[in-house]
Amino acid sequence: GRSARARSGETAVRGSIIRLGAAVTVILGLAGCDFLYHERAVYAIEGATLMDGNVLPPITPAVVVVEDGKITAMGPASEVAIPSRAQRIDGRGKFVFPMSLSQPLKIGGPADLILCNVNPARARDYKRYIFGRMDNGRWWSTAELRAR
């Protein structure tokens, strides 16, 4: 069999790995503690000013519908149907825009967007006012979602 010294070394390594994993979990938890994570679902951001990252003028009030991580519809609220199963995100008074200007929002494109309480074109420190963000169709926010 193995020596007691070898077994104690393995135990020490295992304990270090467990402590490291716990530390990483705590650090990541603290880093994002003010955001609530929601699983990928069907979402509708409604009433926001849409700044899609293209040269088109902003649309307000607008609706952006996201299904399976993709934008399936977006445009003026009067022209976009919201699926009955969608979790609704209140965008009134907020601005929705792409996470990256190199990837404008478009139908069929990835749902990588930000919902902000201030106009990012006018506020240099807009990142301080982010209400929530969608990353590949997963919603992260400082607020609870309304029931379906």
Side-chain angles (χ1 to χ4, degrees):
R2 294 187 314 230
S3 69
R5 187 174 178 180
R7 284 193 303 273
S8 70
E10 288 175 7
T11 302
V13 169
R14 248 189 241 124
S16 295
I17 291 171
I18 290 170
R19 282 191 298 280
L20 177 63
V24 167
T25 301
V26 168
I27 290 168
L28 290 176
L30 291 175
C33 64
D34 58 339
F35 278 85
L36 298 171
Y37 170 73
H38 301 277
E39 286 297 320
R40 186 186 268 186
V42 177
Y43 297 102
I45 299 171
E46 55 184 335
T49 297
L50 172 62
M51 303 170 79
D52 63 7
N54 293 303
V55 294
L56 301 174
I59 298 169
T60 189
V63 170
V64 178
V65 178
V66 174
E67 297 183 55
D68 196 28
K70 303 271 185 224
I71 296 172
T72 57
M74 67 181 199
S78 61
E79 298 175 17
V80 177
I82 298 175
S84 60
R85 67 189 184 287
Q87 292 188 40
R88 293 171 178 249
I89 299 168
D90 186 1
R92 289 175 297 177
K94 297 174 179 59
F95 298 82
V96 62
F97 55 94
M99 270 193 209
S100 169
L101 290 178
S102 65
Q103 191 167 16
L105 302 179
K106 63 181 180 182
I107 295 173
D112 296 331
L113 53 86
I114 293 174
L115 186 61
C116 193
N117 292 316
V118 297
N119 183 339
R122 296 204 173 109
R124 285 183 155 182
D125 61 344
Y126 74 88
K127 290 182 180 178
R128 293 179 50 212
Y129 301 97
I130 292 175
F131 176 80
R133 66 183 168 86
M134 191 165 288
D135 184 9
N136 195 25
R138 288 182 171 86
W139 178 245
W140 298 76
S141 176
T142 55
E144 291 284 347
L145 294 178
R146 292 197 324 242
R148 290 183 210 188

